[in-house]
Amino acid sequence: MPATDSAYVAQAQPTPATDPATQNEAAGSPPAPPIELNVRGQRAAPASEVITRASARELPGSFGDPLRSVESEPGVTPIVSGLPYFFVRGAPPASVGYFIDGVDVPLLFHAYFGPSVIHPALFDRVDVFKGAAPVNYGRYAGAIIAAQTRAPRYEWNGEASLRVIDAGALLESPFASGRGSALVAGRYSYTGLILSLLDDRTKLRYWDYQTLDSYRLSSTTTLSVFAFGAFDLLSINSANDAGLQNQVGGETQFHRFDLRLDARPSPATHLRVAGTFGYDRSGDTIGTASLRDSSMRERIELSHEFSPDVGLDAGLDARIDQVRLDAAATRFDYLDLTTLFPTRNDGVGGGYFGLRLRPARGISVIPGVRADGYLVEHEFKAAADPRLSVEFALPKHVTVDSSVALSHQRPNFVPGIPAAAIGTLHGGLETGVVYDAGVRWKPGADLTFGATIFRTAFFDVIDPVGGQHDFTVSRTQLNDRTTIQTSGLEARVSRPLTKSVGGFLAYTLSRSTRGYDRLSSISGYDRPHVLQAALTLDFGYSIRGGLRGVFYSGMPALVLNEGPPHPSAAHRTPDFFRLDFRVEKRWNFDEAHYLSAVLEVLNATSAKEVLKEQCGTRCQGDLSGPVVLPSLGVEAGF
């Protein structure tokens, strides 16, 4: 649903702050202290969802991370409960795009079940585009999850947290008499030290860093650097029935350095010129295989308001990738790795053009189109992606919105692994078609009632995860192109979680099918019913708490004795239910200084989940868990 954030400018691109210092330079007086300037701009796209950091802090089971709160949105189903890799309206995880300040990233979370790779205090909001995304986002056939960092405050401020699993901090400092701001943040996990005491066969480490530095060259121009990165190591050693050692896990890291110049030659125009340098690496922990991707991306983004009723968004960008594979020829999967991820140079370039129109009071129309060309292993493919969003404000606080979009992407089936992009365009691009229509009613008392119907179709998808619940990497999967179609209804009633009494009730009814080589079946991750409910309360004495319940229908089992192996709705895994809770005691010393103690548990009911079930002469399931994630810590800020 649309947001009403008056500072949301240029499709969620950060707005350079006006420099008050230059206003007094001509008079020879000392620079004035910085002031806060809110510029009224466009709202979020119709049919989108907005998650703020304030609401994410209150959601039990999210651990204060706005990105982890994405799981609570209707139409979003994780591969495994608590694991933040999602099917969104039928689109598999590798078809969902992740962006932070417009910079695409390979993953959003640490160590599979861990926190997000960005310190939560750096987030301003997260936009979830399950339908038509703004035209500046592309190259993914499915949904777009776009995080936006907060604007510089140009004053001393900070936050710190200490939990049983990790420690993190954020600190911002002004410099150059208030012209500049330097922000640093990061997190380090000492979970490995705890695990080594409990089980020396398991290793787990992660850390991340961020720095956002801005300098106002003038009242209309800002130069900034956003650098961030993350590292993860997970290794589990075990012995099979024959006594042979087996190792599961690996080591991943990624880094981004985004240099950008923001110019506002007039209050109606925002221009950004940016260059992003990236480095991704994934490998095993014994040094027999690694993938590296060194990338460089250039982009130009323009937003202009011709009038309050007509706006323009346009841009160009290009990216080159140098991918290198190092693998020992003695590995059993050597042919798979060299076929799927060969050493090569890739390129992609394109542009977009969109309008924001208000033809009449209460009516918003956002048409747009983007075009991209992909060059992989000397093979070239191009695609044009039109999209349209509309919104109508009706009497009695009722809003109706709808969107439709066509999207393309490179074929891929490996989500969340840096540098692991398939190195071929053989078989063509993956294509996604999405449509939705929704209605929202705000009767008062901060209540919102909403319902949306949707229909999606994804063509030429490589989807071993959704087809056979298969997480292995095989070169034969390149030839398994699938069509996935999903229809459904999303319903939600909510009151802001930050209120003294807040909460939501969300329900998704859907059906997802897949077709392959003239065969049709239910999708392997079809869950007809997904129900979530949350309640947050202010108990007084600066104590807040909440509960969240999550219910999923069972997934189709894989039938082995009725023709080719395929998912069947006649056999399903057991339904799943879990309960999360959170309680916080806060001490406010003044308006800016606080200290809080937080206890939070995901899956406090210790529920187990069947990850995969196969049915031959009898059905047998792979049981997971229980995965219980407790968090006890203190937070402080100023």
Side-chain angles (χ1 to χ4, degrees):
M1 298 297 175
T4 56
D5 185 353
S6 62
Y8 189 66
V9 180
Q11 292 186 349
Q13 298 301 327
T15 304
T18 300
D19 183 2
T22 59
Q23 299 175 356
N24 297 326
E25 288 179 348
S29 58
I35 61 174
E36 183 74 19
L37 179 64
N38 290 323
V39 181
R40 185 168 182 82
Q42 76 173 90
R43 305 193 303 176
S48 67
E49 305 286 352
V50 177
I51 301 171
T52 65
R53 198 224 168 180
S55 64
R57 280 184 56 88
E58 302 294 334
L59 180 64
S62 71
F63 304 105
D65 277 341
L67 289 171
R68 268 197 162 272
S69 299
V70 171
E71 181 194 358
S72 68
E73 295 295 331
V76 177
T77 305
I79 293 178
V80 180
S81 174
L83 183 66
Y85 294 97
F86 314 112
F87 278 81
V88 181
R89 291 182 176 174
S95 301
V96 178
Y98 302 134
F99 293 84
I100 299 176
D101 268 9
V103 178
D104 55 311
V105 294
L107 60 97
L108 293 178
F109 305 95
H110 282 296
Y112 304 105
F113 287 94
S116 64
V117 295
I118 299 291
H119 194 284
L122 191 56
F123 285 115
D124 176 59
R125 57 190 281 162
V126 174
D127 294 280
V128 183
F129 302 105
K130 294 177 286 187
V135 288
N136 56 313
Y137 297 114
R139 299 171 186 165
Y140 288 92
I144 297 293
I145 299 173
Q148 307 299 329
T149 60
R150 71 181 207 184
R153 299 179 184 175
Y154 297 98
E155 63 181 11
W156 282 97
N157 65 91
E159 291 189 25
S161 63
L162 179 64
R163 303 188 298 182
V164 294
I165 58 173
D166 60 25
L170 176 146
L171 179 66
E172 180 180 1
S173 168
F175 65 90
S177 301
R179 284 185 178 272
S181 166
L183 182 150
V184 293
R187 187 159 30 197
Y188 177 78
S189 171
Y190 34 79
T191 311
L193 299 177
I194 301 174
L195 285 176
S196 64
L197 298 177
L198 301 176
D199 185 356
D200 58 5
R201 297 172 300 175
T202 301
K203 296 180 181 179
L204 173 64
R205 296 203 312 269
Y206 64 79
W207 49 257
D208 59 63
Y209 67 91
Q210 305 91 46
T211 178
L212 180 56
D213 306 307
S214 302
Y215 182 76
R216 295 177 288 193
L217 302 173
S218 69
S219 60
T220 60
T221 308
T222 300
L223 180 67
S224 58
V225 172
F226 181 32
F228 60 102
F231 171 87
D232 285 271
L233 170 66
L234 175 62
S235 177
I236 303 174
N237 293 315
S238 60
N240 58 22
D241 295 337
L244 298 177
Q245 292 296 314
N246 181 39
Q247 185 181 68
V248 178
E251 178 182 303
T252 66
Q253 61 178 295
F254 79 90
H255 307 272
R256 295 291 185 271
F257 181 89
D258 190 50
L259 176 65
R260 53 212 186 187
L261 181 70
D262 289 286
R264 188 172 290 280
S266 72
T269 304
H270 176 213
L271 174 67
R272 166 169 289 184
V273 180
T276 306
F277 303 90
Y279 177 77
D280 298 359
R281 184 184 183 279
S282 295
D284 59 23
T285 56
I286 56 177
T288 62
S290 69
L291 267 172
R292 292 173 289 123
D293 181 2
S294 300
S295 62
M296 181 174 65
R297 179 187 175 203
E298 303 291 336
R299 66 189 191 276
I300 302 175
E301 302 168 349
L302 172 67
S303 176
H304 180 72
E305 303 289 334
F306 294 100
S307 71
D309 298 328
V310 181
L312 163 72
D313 295 296
L316 297 169
D317 81 289
R319 171 173 168 160
I320 57 175
D321 292 80
Q322 186 182 67
V323 180
R324 296 294 178 263
L325 170 66
D326 296 312
T330 55
R331 289 181 60 102
F332 74 93
D333 58 353
Y334 178 77
L335 289 178
D336 293 321
L337 293 177
T338 54
T339 301
L340 293 170
F341 314 112
T343 294
R344 66 194 188 276
N345 295 325
D346 295 344
V348 61
Y352 61 87
F353 178 88
L355 295 173
R356 287 171 275 113
L357 308 174
R358 295 175 61 88
R361 182 179 178 86
I363 300 177
S364 297
V365 181
I366 307 177
V369 63
R370 65 173 296 125
D372 293 290
Y374 304 82
L375 180 63
V376 179
E377 283 285 86
H378 309 293
E379 189 173 3
F380 180 78
K381 299 288 184 181
D385 298 344
R387 55 195 68 176
L388 174 67
S389 301
V390 295
E391 177 186 281
F392 301 91
L394 305 179
K396 301 185 182 300
H397 310 287
V398 175
T399 302
V400 176
D401 55 48
S402 181
S403 73
V404 61
L406 174 69
S407 302
H408 294 83
Q409 72 168 72
R410 289 176 50 174
N412 198 25
F413 65 90
V414 188
I417 301 180
I422 291 177
T424 179
L425 292 179
H426 179 68
L429 301 174
E430 178 184 330
T431 304
V433 182
V434 297
Y435 167 78
D436 58 27
V439 59
R440 183 190 61 185
W441 175 45
K442 289 190 172 183
D446 296 310
L447 288 170
T448 301
F449 293 83
T452 301
I453 59 172
F454 65 88
R455 171 88 172 156
T456 66
F458 303 95
F459 304 95
D460 295 320
V461 182
I462 302 176
D463 182 34
V465 177
Q468 299 185 7
H469 296 181
D470 191 348
F471 296 89
T472 61
V473 175
S474 170
R475 62 188 183 278
T476 61
Q477 293 163 340
L478 289 176
N479 301 319
D480 295 340
R481 294 301 186 100
T482 301
T483 297
I484 302 173
Q485 299 187 62
T486 305
S487 301
L489 167 69
E490 301 168 354
R492 182 182 177 108
V493 55
S494 62
R495 192 168 192 261
L497 301 180
T498 53
K499 296 293 183 180
S500 57
V501 179
F504 66 82
L505 177 64
Y507 172 66
T508 303
L509 172 67
S510 66
R511 180 176 177 83
S512 185
T513 61
R514 65 193 310 269
Y516 167 70
D517 193 23
R518 299 182 181 180
L519 299 176
S520 180
S521 70
I522 200 76
S523 173
Y525 272 88
D526 174 74
R527 295 186 187 264
H529 307 283
V530 177
L531 180 66
Q532 294 200 45
L535 176 66
T536 58
L537 297 171
D538 187 339
F539 296 101
Y541 304 99
S542 298
I543 299 176
R544 293 186 60 86
L547 292 171
R548 176 169 62 145
V550 180
F551 169 84
Y552 301 137
S553 292
M555 297 180 297
L558 189 65
V559 176
L560 305 177
N561 59 350
E562 298 177 5
H566 63 277
S568 172
H571 306 276
R572 287 185 177 270
T573 62
D575 298 338
F576 175 82
F577 174 78
R578 79 165 199 255
L579 190 67
D580 310 330
F581 81 85
R582 179 183 187 274
V583 62
E584 175 185 9
K585 166 62 178 176
R586 190 179 181 103
W587 295 269
N588 293 306
F589 304 108
D590 54 39
E591 292 184 357
H593 297 76
Y594 72 90
L595 176 69
S596 65
V598 182
L599 173 62
E600 190 166 2
V601 179
L602 182 144
N603 193 16
T605 46
S606 299
K608 296 183 179 181
E609 184 175 8
V610 177
L611 302 182
K612 179 179 180 180
E613 189 169 74
Q614 296 182 341
C615 294
T617 55
R618 62 187 182 90
C619 293
Q620 183 175 359
D622 295 337
L623 194 63
S624 170
V627 177
V628 181
L629 301 180
S631 175
L632 174 64
V634 294
E635 301 176 2
F638 68 94

